[in-house]
């Protein structure tokens, strides 16, 4: 077939499963990643459902090595191999070790001779391919050198934790007056250049995001605090000089690469002609675009909006997609009615709470707040609080547990009074300790195949006690006596602390941090004391890591600090004293070796900052110093000792102001 012929026939798809993406480790060590569950349904089901919804007629599942046996065993009992299946399904096995090997192998088998879809891994979505496919065919018909369309989506999330972020440099798409954005998205223009931006070191790294020349110890010699700029250590993206000079460009680093391409046979030919290509983006795509003068091939993009299509290549994408799915962003694809014939849920409220119809037991005193799934045969104990979480089949949740953003796979056992936040717990794991706090954790497997609990906390864990446990201990002391209502306060403090910490780590500005905190506070009905506990705890934890200077941290938190104290017109500065007590307690708990030094630096900069209505002035610091709670025990007295230097200045300034007032009265 010549390159300018319009191919006809069956619409085909190739799905490259598992082998070439390690992003779902450690879970994929014992099971193919496509068989891992999302909302109690294997990921493969969502991928095949997406293809079925879009009218694909022939699908090739490309697997590597022994993973094909597990996938084949699963499919034998599924609807996809029945005579009534929506498409013909074939499994192709190979010992290839990369996407490049797979694509060259597919070309050698000559299975594809028309327009076809390539799916790199697993996807979930409600996106309708029709318009994107028609646009692709129209471009191909008018220009035989058009060979591929990449599906991209505008991100719903401001943060995606990954080592790199894709950057697409596109020609500015030209729209006619009568050309409007369709329900399935819009033309993103021709892709001119592709690169991946190296993001700054994440929370698991010791690299600092602050000015490398800045030494916080120099603060002691400063008369006035000096703000230092944050210098990101991530690698930028270089745009080819000739592109900038010759045309108008759209630089897009706000897009999610959905991992789905609409291709023509020319794509396979280029893979075959370039045996050094191993990866589909930094290998094939980037090199093909750079060699345009030689090959003349054009690649376009289609940007999905408002439909939903999400890749599932990493644990962070998995967690975010689970949250989106529970929130019905992929509607009509949602837990009920599900895509598995034998899995049905009862909706318990309009807030997307799904409970399996078969033998799921929930205590009458347990509270399921919103966006939850409880699987078949699971039990949720007394006084439990569950929000934005998935509980798999046959799980046992003990009394008094808190699950917030937790994903528990089948057969997990959680002992009483355990808190699990934003964590993925592998099937069969037993959390046997009492009063544990598991924050941002995944399960791992040691060299002997034993399941371990490995914490990926945003703050550094110390040798004898995880930082999450310290957060829990401090929360109990700072948040006051327990409330008879559901544990909103503790839950709010833990999650808000984590959110503020992440915002500081990612370089968010003050307004963004304030808006996110206020929205969450209203959603959780938290009080201002709990807000101050979250702000103070996150500030101290972040400073302890050394990722940021005291002035820079306070500058980014200035707005939330100002909006958390409301006693400026009162003689008794109870809100400001409360915040200083929170800082004092946090420095004692999280900085046992240098807590006093940290409290002094924070206090000095707070005192010197240009805050609205003279917050944290002499009066506030003096009242804090005299408050019995600031000297409640030996550790509290010890951590505040160095700050006495500042208190002496406050007292002196206050005396001078009193003398000036007396003189003014005498003059009158």
């Amino acid at each position: 077939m010549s390159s300018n012929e319009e191919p006809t026939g069956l619409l085909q798809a190739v799905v490259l499963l598992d082998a070439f993406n390690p992003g779902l480790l450690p879970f994929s060590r014992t099971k193919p990643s496509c068989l891992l569950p999302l909302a109690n349904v294997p990921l493969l089901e969502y991928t095949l459902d997406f293809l079925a919804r879009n009218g694909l007629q022939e699908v090739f599942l490309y697997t590597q090595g022994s993973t094909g046996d597990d996938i084949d065993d699963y499919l034998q009992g599924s609807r996809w191999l029945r005579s009534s299946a929506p498409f013909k399904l074939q499994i192709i096995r190979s010992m290839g070790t990369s996407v490049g090997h797979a694509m060259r192998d597919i070309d050698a088998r000559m299975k594809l001779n028309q327009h076809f879809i390539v799916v790199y891994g697993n996807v979930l979505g409600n996106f309708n391919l029709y318009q994107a496919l028609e646009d692709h065919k129209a471009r191909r018909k008018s220009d035989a050198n058009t060979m591929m369309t990449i599906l991209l989506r505008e991100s719903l999330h401001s943060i995606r934790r990954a080592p790199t972020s894709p950057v697409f440099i596109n020609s500015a798409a030209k729209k006619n007056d009568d050309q409007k954005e369709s329900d399935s998205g819009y033309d993103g223009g021709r892709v001119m250049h592709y690169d991946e931006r190296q993001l700054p070191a994440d929370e698991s790294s010791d690299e600092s995001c602050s000015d490398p020349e800045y030494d916080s110890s120099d603060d002691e010699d400063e008369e006035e605090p000096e703000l230092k700029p944050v210098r990101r250590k991530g690698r930028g993206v270089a745009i080819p000089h000739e592109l900038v000079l010759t045309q108008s460009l759209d630089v897009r680093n706000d897009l999610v690469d959905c991992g789905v391409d609409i291709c023509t046979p020319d794509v396979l030919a280029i893979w075959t002609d370039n045996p050094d290509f191993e990866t589909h983006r930094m290998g094939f795509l980037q090199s093909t675009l750079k060699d345009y003068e030689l090959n003349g091939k054009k690649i376009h993009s289609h940007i999905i909006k408002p439909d939903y299509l999400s890749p599932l290549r990493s644990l962070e994408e998995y967690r975010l997609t689970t949250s989106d799915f529970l929130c019905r962003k992929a509607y009509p694809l949602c837990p009920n009615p599900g895509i598995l014939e034998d899995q049905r849920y009862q909706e318990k409220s309009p807030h997307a709470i799904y409970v399996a119809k078969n033998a799921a037991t929930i205590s009458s005193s347990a509270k399921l707040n919103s966006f939850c799934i409880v699987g078949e045969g699971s039990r949720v104990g007394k006084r439990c609080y569950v929000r934005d979480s998935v509980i798999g089949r046959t799980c046992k949740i003990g009394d008094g547990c808190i699950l917030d953003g937790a994903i528990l796979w089948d057969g997990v056992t959680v002992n009483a009074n355990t808190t699990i936040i934003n964590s993925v717990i592998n099937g069969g794991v037993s959390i046997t300790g009492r009063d544990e706090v598991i924050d941002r954790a995944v399960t791992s497997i040691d060299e002997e195949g034993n399941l371990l609990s490995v914490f990926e906390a945003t703050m550094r864990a110390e040798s004898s006690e995880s930082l999450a446990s310290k957060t829990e201990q401090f929360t109990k002391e700072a948040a006051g006596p327990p409330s008879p209502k559901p544990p909103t306060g503790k839950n709010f403090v833990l999650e808000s602390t984590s959110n503020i910490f992440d915002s500081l780590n990612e370089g968010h500005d003050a307004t963004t941090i304030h808006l996110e905190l206020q929205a969450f506070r209203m959603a959780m009905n938290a009080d201002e004391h709990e807000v101050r506990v979250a702000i103070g705890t996150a500030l101290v934890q972040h400073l302890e890591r050394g990722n940021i200077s005291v002035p820079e941290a306070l500058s980014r938190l200035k707005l939330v600090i100002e909006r958390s104290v409301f006693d400026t017109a009162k003689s008794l500065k109870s809100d400001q004293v409360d915040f200083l007590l929170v800082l004092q307690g946090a420095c004692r708990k999280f900085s046992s070796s240098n807590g006093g030094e940290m409290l002094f630096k924070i206090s000095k900069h707070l005192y010197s900052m240009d805050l609205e209505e003279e917050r944290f002035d002499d009066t506030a610091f003096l009242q804090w110093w005299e408050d019995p709670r600031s000297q409640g025990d030996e550790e509290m007295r010890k951590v505040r000792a160095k700050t006495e230097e500042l208190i002496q200045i406050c007292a002196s300034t206050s005396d001078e102001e009193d003398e000036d007032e007396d003189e003014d009265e005498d003059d009158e």
Side-chain angles (χ1 to χ4, degrees):
M1 181 176 64
S2 64
S3 60
N4 58 359
E5 289 182 27
E6 176 62 20
T8 59
L10 298 175
L11 183 57
Q12 301 169 303
V14 175
V15 182
L16 303 181
L17 293 176
D18 289 81
F20 317 117
N21 175 36
L24 291 176
L25 288 172
F27 303 116
S28 55
R29 284 179 180 163
T30 57
K31 180 184 290 189
S33 64
C34 66
L35 298 183
L36 298 175
L38 187 150
N40 300 334
V41 174
L43 300 180
L44 179 59
E45 290 285 347
Y46 296 108
T47 304
L48 296 179
D49 180 78
F50 165 71
L51 297 175
R53 286 171 181 265
N54 280 286
L56 272 294
Q57 297 161 297
E58 191 170 23
V59 175
F60 301 95
L61 297 183
Y62 195 93
T63 67
Q64 181 194 39
S66 60
T67 61
D69 295 333
D70 295 329
I71 296 169
D72 187 60
D73 290 344
Y74 174 79
L75 289 172
Q76 289 305 319
S78 74
R79 61 185 173 121
W80 304 109
L81 292 182
R82 297 175 187 168
S83 59
S84 59
F87 47 65
K88 180 182 178 181
L89 182 65
Q90 296 185 43
I91 299 177
I92 300 176
R93 302 193 190 193
S94 172
M95 297 306 294
T97 58
S98 69
V99 174
H101 288 158
M103 298 300 285
R104 287 184 283 274
D105 185 41
I106 291 169
D107 188 35
R109 294 171 185 260
M110 302 186 68
K111 293 281 186 181
L112 305 171
N113 57 2
Q114 53 193 304
H115 292 298
F116 60 94
I117 312 298
V118 179
V119 181
Y120 304 97
N122 303 290
V123 295
L124 180 153
N126 61 2
F127 175 61
N128 189 330
L129 275 169
Y130 176 79
Q131 190 60 53
L133 184 59
E134 289 301 305
D135 291 346
H136 167 80
K137 290 180 177 180
R139 285 191 293 266
R140 173 73 171 182
K141 189 173 183 178
S142 63
D143 185 349
N145 285 320
T146 297
M147 69 170 185
M148 190 168 86
T149 299
I150 301 171
L151 299 187
L152 308 171
R153 174 172 61 81
E154 293 186 350
S155 178
L156 303 176
H157 304 276
S158 60
I159 301 172
R160 284 200 174 260
R161 294 182 181 87
T164 60
S165 173
V167 180
F168 288 85
I169 314 295
N170 298 346
S171 63
K174 297 180 180 179
K175 287 188 176 182
N176 300 324
D177 294 337
D178 57 347
Q179 183 180 0
K180 297 181 180 179
E181 184 177 304
S182 71
D183 291 339
S184 62
Y186 57 94
D187 179 11
R190 180 181 155 202
V191 181
M192 308 301 295
H193 182 67
Y194 175 82
D195 205 343
E196 292 179 356
R197 184 170 63 93
Q198 299 291 331
L199 299 182
D202 63 13
E203 54 266 14
S204 64
S205 171
D206 290 330
E207 286 190 63
S208 170
C209 294
S210 59
D211 190 336
E213 300 177 358
Y214 176 75
D215 183 0
S216 59
S217 63
D218 295 338
D219 291 347
E220 299 178 6
D221 300 325
E222 295 174 358
E223 294 182 4
E224 292 292 335
E226 180 182 359
L227 295 179
K228 295 289 182 176
V230 171
R231 295 179 183 173
R232 291 288 190 176
K233 288 192 173 182
R235 181 178 67 82
V237 171
I239 302 176
H241 186 64
E242 61 273 15
L243 291 181
V244 179
L245 293 178
T246 58
Q247 56 192 292
S248 176
L249 300 174
D250 285 337
V251 181
R252 302 296 299 267
N253 65 347
D254 61 331
L255 301 173
V256 176
D257 184 349
C258 297
V260 179
D261 295 341
I262 304 173
C263 302
T264 64
D266 293 346
V267 170
L268 295 177
I270 290 182
W271 277 108
T272 299
D273 292 342
N274 294 272
D276 56 323
F277 290 176
E278 297 294 334
T279 61
H280 59 297
R281 292 296 184 247
M282 290 301 288
F284 172 84
L285 177 60
Q286 188 182 70
S287 298
T288 301
L289 294 173
K290 286 182 177 179
D291 293 341
Y292 172 71
E293 295 297 330
L294 297 176
N295 57 50
K297 299 302 180 183
K298 298 176 182 178
I299 298 173
H300 288 255
S301 63
H302 181 91
I303 299 176
I304 297 170
K305 183 182 179 182
D307 284 355
Y308 186 86
L309 184 63
S310 179
L312 293 156
R313 297 163 299 203
S314 68
L315 287 173
E316 181 62 13
E317 286 176 337
Y318 172 86
R319 188 183 67 78
L320 291 173
T321 303
T322 299
S323 176
D324 292 344
F325 181 67
L326 292 177
C327 296
R328 303 185 185 186
K329 291 178 181 176
Y331 185 84
L333 185 63
C334 57
N336 200 35
I339 60 178
L340 291 184
E341 298 170 345
D342 60 346
Q343 185 167 278
R344 292 293 181 266
Y345 295 96
Q346 305 175 54
E347 281 195 65
K348 293 294 186 180
S349 82
H351 300 293
I353 298 174
Y354 303 96
V355 178
K357 290 185 176 181
N358 300 326
T361 305
I362 301 175
S363 171
S364 59
S365 61
K367 181 175 178 58
L368 273 62
N369 193 6
S370 60
F371 307 117
C372 302
I373 292 179
V374 181
E376 179 180 343
S378 292
R379 186 185 73 83
V380 180
K382 301 175 183 177
R383 302 180 306 281
C384 288
Y385 180 82
V386 183
R387 185 174 76 98
D388 299 344
S389 297
V390 175
I391 299 174
R393 302 176 185 86
T394 65
C395 293
K396 298 178 181 178
I397 313 301
D399 297 342
C401 290
I402 299 174
L403 305 182
D404 190 357
I407 301 173
L408 279 55
W409 292 351
D410 295 350
V412 171
T413 299
V414 181
N415 228 3
N417 302 317
T418 298
T419 298
I420 302 178
I421 301 173
N422 294 335
S423 300
V424 182
I425 309 299
N426 206 344
V429 169
S430 295
I431 301 172
T432 56
R434 293 180 63 86
D435 301 316
E436 284 197 44
V437 177
I438 298 176
D439 190 359
R440 297 169 184 260
V442 298
T443 55
S444 186
I445 302 173
D446 65 15
E447 295 178 354
E448 298 178 356
N450 300 314
L451 289 171
L452 303 173
S453 183
V454 178
F455 293 91
E456 297 184 336
T458 54
M459 306 74 140
R460 174 174 50 85
E462 298 189 1
S463 58
S464 62
E465 185 178 24
S466 76
L467 192 53
S469 298
K470 284 183 145 185
T471 304
E472 168 72 1
Q473 179 184 358
F474 175 66
T475 299
K476 289 179 179 178
E477 295 178 9
S483 170
K485 61 183 180 181
T488 303
K490 180 169 67 173
N491 202 44
F492 170 81
V493 171
L494 286 171
E495 185 158 344
S496 293
T497 299
S498 177
N499 291 342
I500 296 170
F501 182 94
D502 285 346
S503 295
L504 289 171
N505 200 50
E506 297 292 334
H508 289 188
D509 58 37
T511 302
T512 300
I513 297 174
H514 169 65
L515 292 175
E516 290 177 348
L517 179 61
Q518 286 300 101
F520 189 55
R521 181 190 69 79
M522 290 186 288
M524 296 294 289
N525 195 29
D527 60 36
E528 296 302 331
H529 168 67
E530 292 162 348
V531 171
R532 290 190 285 270
V533 171
I535 297 169
T537 305
L539 171 62
V540 173
Q541 289 171 349
H542 208 280
L543 291 175
E544 186 186 37
R545 282 288 307 276
N547 281 6
I548 195 171
S549 68
V550 174
E552 177 65 21
L554 287 175
S555 175
R556 288 204 224 142
L557 293 178
K558 175 182 176 181
L559 190 58
V560 294
I561 292 173
E562 289 176 340
R563 299 297 186 268
S564 68
V565 293
F566 304 94
D567 54 8
T568 54
K570 301 177 182 178
S571 58
L572 184 62
K573 310 297 184 183
S574 56
D575 291 351
Q576 297 174 64
V577 168
D578 180 55
F579 185 67
L580 291 172
L581 287 170
V582 167
L583 291 174
Q584 184 182 3
C587 288
R588 181 187 68 170
K589 293 294 180 184
F590 294 102
S591 300
S592 56
S593 60
N594 63 343
E597 182 71 24
M598 183 176 292
L599 179 63
F600 171 67
K601 290 180 179 179
I602 296 173
S603 299
K604 184 180 70 171
H605 287 281
L606 266 179
Y607 180 74
S608 305
M609 281 183 70
D610 182 21
L611 296 170
E612 288 183 358
E613 300 179 358
E614 297 184 353
R615 289 172 169 84
F616 298 102
D617 57 4
D618 301 317
T619 304
F621 276 97
L622 291 174
Q623 289 183 8
W624 162 68
W625 191 260
E626 296 299 326
D627 193 295
R629 291 172 293 177
S630 72
Q631 46 191 317
D633 57 35
E634 181 60 31
E635 289 187 6
M636 289 290 276
R637 290 191 292 272
K638 181 179 178 181
V639 81
R640 76 170 195 165
K642 185 172 179 57
T643 312
E644 188 172 4
E645 300 175 26
L646 177 62
I647 298 301
Q648 291 174 355
I649 296 173
C650 292
S652 175
T653 304
S654 180
D655 290 342
E656 291 176 0
E657 290 175 352
D658 291 341
E659 291 176 1
D660 291 341
E661 289 178 1
D662 292 340
E663 291 177 1
D664 291 341
E665 291 177 358
D666 292 341
D667 292 341
E668 293 177 0

